[in-house]
Amino acid sequence: MMTSALITGHPLGSKANARYALLTMSRIRKFEEAVEDLFGRGMVHGTMHLSIGQEASPTGVCMALNITDQITSTHRGHGHCIAKGADLTRMVAELLGKEIGYGGGRGGSMHIADVETGNLGANGIVAGGIPIAVGAALASQMMNKGTVAVSFFGDGAMNEGAFHEAANLAAIWKLPVILACENNKYGMSSSIELAFAIDHLSERGLAYGIPGVTLDGNDVSAVYEATEVAVKRARAGEGPTLLEFVTYRWKGHSRSDKNLYRTKEEIDEWKKKDPILYFEHVVREKALLTDAEIAEIHKLATDQVIAAVNEAMKAAPADPAGLLDAVFKKVSA
Amino acid sequence: MSDRMLTMAQALREAMSIAMDERPEVFILGEDIGIYGGAFGVTGDLYHRYGKERVRDTPISELGIVGAAVGAALSGMRPIVEIQFSDFTAQAMDQIVNQAAKIHFMVGGGLNVPLVLRAASGSGTGAAAQHSQSLEGWFANVPGLKVVIPSSPYEAKGLLLSAIDDPNPVIFMEHKLLYKIPGREEVPEGGYRIPLGVSRVLREGKDLTVVATGIMVFKAIAAAQELEKEGVALTVIDPRTISPLDMDPVYESVEKTGRLMVVQEAPEHGGFLNEVIAKVATGPSLGSLIAPVVRLAGMNIPIPYAPQLEKAAVPQVPDIVKAARNVVANWR
């Protein structure tokens, strides 16, 4: 199993936490790079949405959660899945259309869910997961579970009706849910300047009577701290929080993207704000990790991803024979 | 009259009450279902009996409501969503079609959505084109959804309890004219179940097999009673669930009668009962047919407002009588 135990706590709270935060971000980066490579070699069907450059928000958020807390994710969901603790082999296997993949090859990249780690799934529909997270939080409240649900979504999702309806329900019922917007500046090619008439997307919290906070989404510690406040509020029964993590995707929206809507200079500027390099800088300064340890963590991440790819490649392809029986869950007699 | 001759509204309420007594994870959510008791009075006094958490009034927010129900269903609850008019499912379509229907399949079986979506369906109340549709065919065309159309109080109670038990999303289409019509048979007390995917043969006659859904079952029986006086004997089959669909009783009946008529309120073009015809055309009883198949369905128009226009838009008892009489008389 490639799953590493989930660590809850501040990324700078201890050497182990710092190591875990860096390893998680590195695993996401290496995973995405491996996926891009597999696509480039024509080994993966369909499309892909890479989250390179956005590794801090899933990592910081999930370090503020327990394994029983739930998340919903997006089409750009590999990072959330990894940060919540998913098995890399089963993820790669899904992309390769293998029977051992999370969806048995039936869902692909945009539909990976992992019940064991509370991941209710990525989603191919923009904002589709937000009402679902609100419903998960409703179940938590009604069943007194004490769990919170986090819905990850992009800036584009905030102009969908689903966001508004879900935010309102969460607010009126004071549900333990966190609305985690990863504002990476573009909904496919539409810049936030074209799509919004407000400066900070978190201002929309006001419309629902809930706190809204904008912060540096490339600073894993800041992400963790804001999430921790929101988690405490949620567990205390005080209701939802809207968090806006300002970040940037280095790669195109998907395979077809030629980056015609933004400049190379802009992309290069954001690469200087690399969340992984920034975190390395912080942990060095705080003497939590040495250069050698940092190098060893990246190597471990690389080795884990390579091992996952190799194992997934060897796995049996998904079998069409089971398709009809997979539509419904069997009614127990 | 026995005190167990319930209306469909009463029978549905009884089913929900039994389910809530049996399982703490069952709850109802929807617009005006609390103190108001539901736009058609189906939830009635449940709010007072089970409280505002389990009989949960929502804002007018169909997408949000269904989405929240999907999330709750994924997380251990068994929500029953009431959509005030089935037309408003259009507002919630993403959560029904893209989410609820597909999650179990897409994620490899690890998650499932035990959700019931009840919706008031059909015409006859003068509410015009946005409050009168019969949209069951939309849902029947989406793999991953089960679709139930109760035709009487007895069916409604037993089918709703099975729908609530089911680990998958079930669309439950209730014809609003049936809510207050007394049933043709007693509704047993207690939590009896009618399995999803089992057609019911309501009466047997040698001349014509009639397959009808929802309120058209009620009308087909009325037509059969009238034709009986003329010596024309109809078999009436109610599939009860159109997904899954149990065709065996239809094949068996067509083999005996040699004639088939389908009756639905939904518009003819692309309507669900065309699927019944297609299955007969490709199934084991085709060779028994001695007459062209007769199709009675709603006109291919939005439901109009004025009473005479509204009546003209969907099959009525005299239409069924006439069509049945003709096919039996003309094809021997």
Side-chain angles (χ1 to χ4, degrees):
Chain A
M1 291 285 284
M2 304 298 290
T3 309
S4 54
L6 194 68
I7 285 187
T8 301
H10 197 296
L12 300 174
S14 69
K15 189 178 180 74
N17 287 11
R19 188 178 178 285
Y20 177 79
L22 183 61
L23 179 63
T24 304
M25 290 195 287
S26 187
R27 280 155 59 97
I28 296 171
R29 173 84 45 102
K30 309 294 183 203
F31 182 89
E32 299 290 49
E33 287 170 353
V35 170
E36 190 176 33
D37 176 60
L38 289 169
F39 263 100
R41 289 194 278 147
M43 303 187 71
V44 179
H45 190 53
T47 189
M48 62 171 172
H49 304 92
L50 302 178
S51 62
I52 295 175
Q54 301 184 194
E55 296 88 350
S57 51
T59 303
V61 167
C62 291
M63 287 187 76
L65 302 178
N66 298 323
I67 192 145
T68 49
D69 293 321
Q70 294 168 294
I71 64 164
T72 65
S73 167
T74 70
H75 57 288
R76 202 174 307 287
H78 302 157
H80 310 131
C81 202
I82 293 169
K84 199 70 175 71
D87 178 71
L88 297 181
T89 302
R90 293 190 67 196
M91 287 180 70
V92 182
E94 185 60 25
L95 303 186
L96 295 175
K98 304 293 186 136
E99 197 68 35
I100 62 159
Y102 269 108
R106 298 194 283 270
S109 164
M110 286 191 282
H111 304 293
I112 297 177
D114 181 20
V115 183
E116 284 171 30
T117 59
N119 180 355
L120 291 176
N123 210 303
I125 304 295
V126 171
I130 310 175
I132 294 174
V134 165
L138 175 61
S140 173
Q141 186 190 66
M142 292 184 79
M143 298 166 87
N144 292 312
K145 291 195 226 178
T147 56
V148 304
V150 176
S151 184
F152 288 103
F153 51 88
D155 43 284
M158 284 190 64
N159 289 328
E160 288 279 7
F163 167 79
H164 298 275
E165 297 198 22
N168 186 55
L169 290 180
I172 60 170
W173 292 336
K174 290 193 180 304
L175 297 178
V177 65
I178 295 165
L179 305 173
C181 174
E182 295 174 313
N183 173 6
N184 67 12
K185 308 269 190 190
Y186 294 91
M188 202 158 158
S189 70
S190 292
S191 71
I192 50 172
E193 287 77 20
L194 290 174
F196 293 86
I198 49 177
D199 293 329
H200 300 294
L201 311 192
S202 65
E203 290 166 30
R204 289 202 174 157
L206 193 62
Y208 306 102
I210 64 173
V213 183
T214 297
L215 58 132
D216 180 356
N218 283 3
D219 177 354
V220 69
S221 299
V223 169
Y224 169 84
E225 286 161 17
T227 307
E228 197 202 14
V229 172
V231 166
K232 277 193 178 137
R233 178 180 146 81
R235 292 206 212 280
E238 290 163 19
T241 302
L242 171 61
L243 300 176
E244 177 193 4
F245 305 125
V246 179
T247 184
Y248 197 80
R249 77 171 140 73
W250 293 8
K251 299 287 174 175
H253 163 75
S254 66
R255 280 289 284 170
S256 64
D257 192 336
K258 296 182 188 71
N259 277 321
L260 298 175
Y261 51 89
R262 55 182 187 174
T263 61
K264 187 172 180 306
E265 289 71 29
E266 181 184 292
I267 298 170
D268 288 341
E269 199 55 40
W270 273 94
K271 284 186 177 173
K272 291 180 197 158
K273 301 176 195 166
D274 181 343
I276 295 178
L277 287 181
Y278 177 69
F279 187 66
E280 287 176 10
H281 163 76
V282 174
V283 293
R284 271 194 208 100
E285 241 185 16
K286 293 195 178 292
L288 280 166
L289 297 172
T290 65
D291 283 354
E293 285 166 332
I294 289 170
E296 178 260 325
I297 289 166
H298 287 307
K299 175 158 190 321
L300 178 60
T302 303
D303 290 347
Q304 288 182 347
V305 169
I306 289 171
V309 170
N310 288 342
E311 200 179 332
M313 295 264 230
K314 282 184 281 182
D319 183 0
L323 283 176
L324 270 179
D325 284 334
V327 179
F328 292 107
K329 186 175 166 78
K330 293 276 169 296
V331 181
S332 47
Chain B
M1 196 161 102
S2 151
D3 65 347
R4 294 305 300 172
M5 295 299 283
L6 307 183
T7 65
M8 195 164 89
Q10 289 170 323
L12 290 165
R13 189 182 318 139
E14 206 168 270
M16 290 190 281
S17 171
I18 289 167
M20 285 199 285
D21 288 340
E22 286 177 352
R23 295 173 186 263
E25 65 270 30
V26 174
F27 73 108
I28 316 169
L29 70 170
E31 295 155 8
D32 309 299
I33 64 163
I35 293 176
Y36 196 98
F40 293 94
V42 175
T43 46
D45 63 348
L46 293 178
Y47 175 85
H48 297 289
R49 289 160 58 199
Y50 293 93
K52 66 181 165 68
E53 302 287 317
R54 294 185 77 191
V55 183
R56 183 174 288 259
D57 269 322
T58 67
I60 304 165
S61 193
E62 288 83 8
L63 177 60
I65 300 165
V66 177
V70 172
L74 288 170
S75 308
M77 299 295 287
R78 283 184 183 261
I80 303 168
V81 179
E82 177 174 310
I83 296 291
Q84 206 162 73
F85 288 82
S86 69
D87 315 70
F88 308 164
T89 58
Q91 296 269 33
M93 226 43 173
D94 174 56
Q95 286 294 329
I96 301 170
V97 172
N98 290 324
Q99 312 296 339
K102 296 177 173 55
I103 287 173
H104 178 72
F105 180 85
M106 292 191 302
V107 308
L111 294 169
N112 64 295
V113 186
L115 160 75
V116 178
L117 187 150
R118 297 181 31 247
S121 173
S123 69
T125 63
Q130 296 173 336
H131 290 73
S132 302
Q133 294 169 87
S134 299
L135 300 174
E136 62 271 11
W138 283 3
F139 301 105
N141 201 229
V142 177
L145 299 176
K146 298 190 179 183
V147 184
V148 182
I149 312 176
S151 64
S152 76
Y154 166 78
E155 311 284 0
K157 182 179 170 185
L159 290 167
L160 183 55
L161 279 164
S162 288
I164 297 167
D165 289 342
D166 203 283
N168 301 289
V170 180
I171 307 296
F172 205 89
M173 289 294 198
E174 303 161 3
H175 199 290
K176 52 183 84 81
L177 289 188
L178 291 176
Y179 279 136
K180 293 196 167 71
I181 300 176
R184 54 181 181 259
E185 62 200 322
E186 289 195 0
V187 177
E189 305 212 27
Y192 68 92
R193 265 74 174 169
I194 297 172
L196 307 186
V198 181
S199 296
R200 182 178 182 192
V201 181
L202 284 158
R203 54 181 293 146
E204 280 194 81
K206 63 177 183 1
D207 295 317
L208 172 66
T209 303
V210 179
V211 179
T213 49
I215 195 166
M216 291 301 154
V217 175
F218 185 86
K219 292 182 182 179
I221 287 173
Q225 284 164 348
E226 202 172 319
L227 285 164
E228 198 171 26
K229 297 173 204 155
E230 304 173 14
V232 176
L234 268 49
T235 291
V236 177
I237 300 176
D238 174 8
R240 304 195 284 200
T241 65
I242 61 171
S243 281
L245 176 66
D246 171 23
M247 282 296 293
D248 288 345
V250 178
Y251 298 141
E252 284 161 25
S253 176
V254 168
E255 277 165 16
K256 291 180 202 158
T257 64
R259 302 181 189 91
L260 173 66
M261 178 159 87
V262 298
V263 195
Q264 69 178 21
E265 178 167 320
E268 181 186 86
H269 191 85
F272 174 76
L273 285 180
N274 297 336
E275 179 64 24
V276 171
I277 298 172
K279 285 201 155 64
V280 169
T282 55
S285 61
L286 177 66
S288 305
L289 281 177
I290 58 168
V293 174
V294 181
R295 206 159 47 140
L296 284 184
M299 293 170 70
N300 294 318
I301 57 171
I303 296 293
Y305 160 68
Q308 70 278 18
L309 303 182
E310 188 180 26
K311 272 211 174 86
V314 301
Q316 304 297 341
V317 175
D319 303 321
I320 303 173
V321 169
K322 190 177 163 199
R325 188 189 284 137
N326 285 346
V327 72
V328 174
N330 295 341
W331 298 88
R332 294 196 167 269

